[in-house]
């Protein structure tokens, strides 16, 4: 377990040269003011391949928050069971690619849309709980954003307004075992 908690400024970008050299099972960053543009870069969890099970980022301020478009999660995906991220941007269909053990995901203060193929049985076959809290407006939920999730037990989406929900955004053709 590697908790980082601070009420002062947190300056480094977490990447292969710092956090990526550690082998951690649980990573948690709370109450941090970030001065860098992006908190994570590719390789942030490179040293934790095969062992990281949970990542929690809560109450972070400044910078761009957690940019899921940077693909920093890919080293963690194969073993990740729980993902709780605050101030999320650039959610993409490849953000959670090959996350076979992921059971719980919580994205708070999401500044984005939910693109097609984000939550699919191919990417997250064991997902049970999905919680999404938009900072204000959730711009769209695309077709097949939630597709064939055979293990899904709950979905909670909170937003002041959802601008557009495409047909078949919640699409389940698979039969639960």
């Amino acid at each position: 377990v590697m908790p980082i908690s601070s009420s002062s400024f947190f300056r480094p970008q977490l990447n292969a040269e710092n956090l990526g050299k550690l082998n951690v099972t649980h990573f948690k960053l709370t109450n941090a003011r970030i001065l860098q543009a992006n908190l994570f870069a590719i390789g942030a969890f490179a040293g934790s391949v095969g062992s990281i099970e949970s990542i929690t980022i809560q109450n972070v301020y400044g910078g761009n928050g957690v940019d899921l478009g940077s693909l920093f999660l890919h080293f963690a995906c194969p073993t990740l069971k729980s993902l709780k991220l605050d101030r999320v941007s650039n959610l993409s269909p490849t953000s959670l690619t090959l996350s076979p053990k992921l059971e719980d995901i919580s994205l708070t203060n999401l500044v984005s849309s939910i693109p097609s193929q984000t939550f699919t049985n191919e990417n997250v076959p064991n997902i049970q709980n999905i919680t999404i809290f938009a900072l204000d407006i959730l711009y769209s939920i695309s077709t097949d954003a939630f597709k064939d999730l055979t293990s899904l037990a709950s979905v909670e989406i909170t937003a002041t307004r959802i601008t557009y929900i495409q047909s078949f955004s919640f699409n389940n053709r698979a039969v639960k075992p």
Side-chain angles (χ1 to χ4, degrees), residues 5-6 12 25 32-33 56 94 120 123 131-132 162 168 170:
S5 185
S6 172
T25 305
R33 297 191 188 284
T56 302
T94 60
T120 66
N123 286 344
T131 303
I132 296 173
I162 300 174
F168 302 103
F170 303 91

Side-chain angles (χ1 to χ4, degrees), residues 149-172:
L149 299 168
T150 57
S151 298
L152 188 63
S154 70
V155 174
E156 180 181 341
I157 299 174
T158 304
T160 304
R161 183 177 77 197
I162 300 174
T163 305
Y164 187 64
I165 300 175
Q166 293 182 342
S167 298
F168 302 103
S169 296
F170 303 91
N171 196 354
N172 189 18

Side-chain angles (χ1 to χ4, degrees), residues 44-57:
F45 294 101
S48 300
V49 170
S51 60
I52 186 94
E53 293 181 1
S54 69
I55 299 171
T56 302
I57 310 296

Side-chain angles (χ1 to χ4, degrees), residues 12-13 22 37 40 84 88-89 94 112 127 135 149 153 174:
Q13 182 181 54
L22 299 176
F40 293 103
K84 297 177 182 175
V88 175
S89 64
T94 60
S112 186
I127 197 75
L135 187 57
L149 299 168

Side-chain angles (χ1 to χ4, degrees), residues 114-120 141-147 168-170:
I114 303 173
S116 182
Q117 305 293 320
T118 301
F119 299 102
T120 66
I141 302 175
S142 298
T143 299
D144 288 336
F146 300 86
K147 182 181 175 191
F168 302 103
S169 296
F170 303 91

